[in-house]
Amino acid sequence: MRRASCLALSCASVFLWGCGSSSSHTPPRTVAVSIAPATVTVAVGKTQPFTASITGSSNTAATWSVAGGASNGTITSTGLYMAPTVVPNPAQVAVTATSQADSTKSASATVTVTAVGPVDSVSVSPSAVTVPDFGTQQFTASLNGSPTTAVTWQVNGIVGGNQTVGFISMNGLYAAPSGVPTKSDGSNGSVTTTVTVTAVSQANNSASGNATVTVLPVNQQTQSGAIVLGTSGGNALDSTTNTSAHTITCCGGTLGSLVVNGGGTPFILSNNHILARTDQGQKPDQTHLVGDPIIQPGLVDTATCTSSGARTVANLFDFYNLETGTGTKIDAAIANVLPGQVDPTGNILYLGAPDAGGVPVPAPPHGGTGVMASLTMDVAKSGRATGLTCSTVIGVATIVSVQYHTKCGSSTTFSVNYTNQVQIASGSFSAEGDSGSLVVSVANADPVALLYAGSDTDTVGNPVGDVLSFFASRGNALSFVGGGAHQVMGCSLPVKPASVSTQSAVTVLPEAMQQAAAVRDAHAPELLAHPEVQAVGVGESLDHPREPAILFFVTAGQPRTNIPAQVDGVRTRIVENILFARRGMLSAAESAQLQQAVPASPEVYPISEAELARAKAVHAARANDQMSEPGVQGVGITSSLDAPGEAALMILLVRGVAHNPIPPVIDGLRTRVRESSRFTAGAGDAHSKAACAVPATQTPLRKATPSN
């Protein structure tokens, strides 16, 4: 065998003759290098990707270089050329790719650097599209009219997107979130909004193209057969005609859940202002055999703002009167289900496990009478406006003033003061149209609250226990139709419960920070005397943003020794970590540097039963006094963010309304301030859509108003 005999030769023989001296030997392959593009024009400061093709070797890696050094530009190890900030002399620059397998083999491209580059145009297709929540949409990009994949995809300016606005792959495949993105309406709460998908040219990052995505939940669709709940619905008479403007304003919300009385009669549970037209609804009496018709979808989701685009699924049966009702106030109503019109299992959209396509199927809540809300409880709801959303209970036993409109399209308002409400964090948890949704625990799908109002930062709901107690007092002992306990899996597909808040940058006025530092310095020895304290600094309070606080940097896990909640009227804040890089008294800048190593604070911390009891005592004694203060719209129980583990009195302020100073401590309990728009519910709290005046000879168009 020739190979064996070659191996047996001496080194000299190999050198002189080689194993391949036979005429049948194939000579070694020659390495060849090519580069693309071979010629290109690049504006100063811009980038241009190059690719190298290397043949003749299994090692296809290249080493990149720019002739003349940095003054002619730079290039990365992956072939991304960055032009210099000024045009070189000469303006032509050589970019070279050299084979790492054979350094004698290379190829070069000519780059002409110009002061003003060619105008690039990026377009995205489709340019506008509607995607169902949990759905997907493929986008493609073109550069100067030619298809390209050399783009970076963003959603609302975020590369790759996120759980709130949806994700997008490097190939342009967009995945919608479970909950419809929202924004503040500027006055009364949150409204749904679109998201923007952007493709940015990798060769010229100043060139980009956009597409608009409307995320539309299936909750708004017209259903056939026995309807699944968590869907669009409302009173068929919930509209107002303006004859002078030739417009119709119509309203609607969410048909929340199915309940049943002791005799087995099923009812739809939702809000008064959804089913009973804010106290204006007709329920059965000696004159009326049946109550107002309840339709699916609601008028707000019909084409003409009339019930001709919907069907009656129930009739109004009973409700708590918002303006004249006595006892514990609730915003609730029930409607008697018509035979065969509602899924008898109590299924609610998106409440079940995901199907093969990753979209949660309908499922019932945990049957029974529900559970009480607790701080840090992860909760979910499926509603008409935003689909499936998930968040955290941030306040309990909350007193809150909520504004209503007397009827659909009316500018006349009245307010209702509620007690013992469930407060849920995040303005994106609900929007106009989600009123009537059933709030359930994420862990077991236990009914927790009946959603009825919100601001641009929070949502409030009636505890289900209060709702059921009212109807029981009227001779209808109700329970939720449902199945066994189960996790709401859609809260992690892809949206997870909102457990971490985004802390704003420090906005404390310099003079206020200086005052806090002066107080800190005056008490330095006693503040540093606490054995768990490693350092004392100054910064911003989390319980009252924009106010200064004295910061105690303490050892995590070490018992606390009565760190004061205030020092001479200045709030204190506890920052925990195992070890901090500095000791002693710190400046504001040094304090900010230490905080960077500490995880962001959650919206709410767990507190002990003892702390909860302490907070309840202060709340019972002082909440009504605080509610009488100007600018205060609510008082509840929460946890302190400045002192994890401690309870706090939550003071809800109306943003932009003057208020008296909020004391840092009331009866030994820390206070926590939360500003938002006015809490609203009812027909007038949303901006009109599709509203226009038309000539009297034409059919009036609608302006549709979802309710929250």
Side-chain angles (χ1 to χ4, degrees), residues 5 56 121 126 166 190 233 251 259 274 334 343 372 381 398 407 450 494 496 505 543 546 567 627 637 680 697:
S5 61
S121 174
S190 297
C251 299
V259 292
I274 301 302
I334 56 175
D343 185 340
M372 289 180 58
K381 78 95 188 67
T398 300
K407 64 178 181 178
L450 181 62
K496 297 179 180 179
D543 282 342
R546 296 186 299 278
V567 179
M627 285 294 293
I637 295 173
T680 57
T697 56

Side-chain angles (χ1 to χ4, degrees), residues 208-582:
S208 63
N210 297 324
T212 300
V213 178
T214 300
V215 181
L216 187 67
V218 299
N219 307 64
Q220 295 181 20
Q221 295 176 4
T222 302
Q223 297 186 34
S224 59
I227 67 166
V228 176
L229 296 171
T231 185
S232 169
N235 193 301
L237 307 178
D238 203 8
S239 65
T240 301
T241 301
N242 186 325
T243 55
S244 61
H246 307 293
T247 59
I248 300 175
T249 301
C250 58
C251 299
T254 300
L255 305 181
S257 59
L258 189 66
V259 292
V260 64
N261 67 10
T265 302
F267 299 90
I268 293 174
L269 173 64
S270 186
N271 296 142
N272 171 317
H273 76 269
I274 301 302
L275 300 185
R277 297 185 289 138
T278 315
D279 296 343
Q280 307 301 311
Q282 179 61 60
K283 55 188 175 183
D285 56 22
Q286 295 178 349
T287 305
H288 303 84
L289 296 179
V290 295
D292 287 348
I294 305 304
I295 58 175
Q296 196 287 323
L299 293 177
V300 69
D301 291 315
T302 61
T304 59
C305 219
T306 65
S307 59
S308 61
R311 63 188 168 107
T312 300
V313 296
N315 289 103
L316 181 62
F317 184 79
D318 196 11
F319 57 88
Y320 178 91
N321 195 291
L322 294 169
E323 291 203 76
T324 63
T326 58
T328 301
K329 294 184 179 297
I330 58 173
D331 184 351
I334 56 175
N336 202 343
V337 172
L338 294 180
Q341 297 301 311
V342 176
D343 185 340
T345 66
N347 276 337
I348 295 175
L349 290 164
Y350 295 133
L351 223 56
D355 61 16
V359 180
V361 300
H366 186 193
T369 55
V371 299
M372 289 180 58
S374 59
L375 290 178
T376 73
M377 177 186 281
D378 289 333
V379 292
K381 78 95 188 67
S382 181
R384 172 208 168 268
T386 56
L388 180 70
T389 56
C390 311
S391 190
T392 304
V393 174
I394 192 176
V396 294
T398 300
I399 298 175
V400 63
S401 174
V402 176
Q403 187 179 80
Y404 286 84
H405 292 256
T406 54
K407 64 178 181 178
C408 183
S410 172
S411 60
T412 305
T413 63
F414 65 94
S415 295
V416 177
N417 282 2
Y418 291 92
T419 60
N420 193 40
Q421 300 302 283
V422 180
Q423 181 186 348
I424 301 164
S426 176
S428 63
F429 185 73
S430 70
E432 295 163 354
D434 284 327
S435 284
S437 302
L438 181 66
V439 178
V440 301
S441 67
V442 171
N444 296 312
D446 285 312
V448 173
L450 181 62
L451 189 157
Y452 68 96
S455 69
D456 60 357
T457 65
D458 296 302
T459 295
V460 287
N462 302 139
V464 292
D466 290 349
V467 172
L468 298 184
S469 293
F470 166 74
F471 290 109
S473 71
R474 315 264 287 190
N476 265 305
L478 303 175
S479 62
F480 290 94
V481 176
H486 63 89
Q487 182 183 0
V488 182
M489 297 179 66
C491 285
S492 56
L493 300 170
V495 175
K496 297 179 180 179
S499 59
V500 177
S501 62
T502 301
Q503 304 298 342
S504 60
V506 174
T507 55
V508 181
L509 294 175
E511 52 267 32
M513 195 73 83
Q514 291 170 5
Q515 180 185 5
V519 171
R520 185 270 316 265
D521 293 343
H523 296 271
E526 62 195 80
L527 300 181
L528 284 170
H530 295 273
E532 73 272 29
V533 174
Q534 299 182 34
V536 180
V538 289
E540 184 178 25
S541 167
L542 298 183
D543 282 342
H544 196 161
R546 296 186 299 278
E547 276 199 9
I550 296 172
L551 305 187
F552 288 84
F553 294 90
V554 306
T555 305
Q558 187 170 337
R560 295 190 195 153
T561 55
N562 239 359
I563 293 176
Q566 61 171 328
V567 179
D568 292 349
V570 178
R571 292 173 180 265
T572 65
R573 175 181 157 201
I574 297 170
V575 183
E576 291 185 318
N577 207 353
I578 298 299
L579 186 66
F580 290 98
R582 294 178 180 273

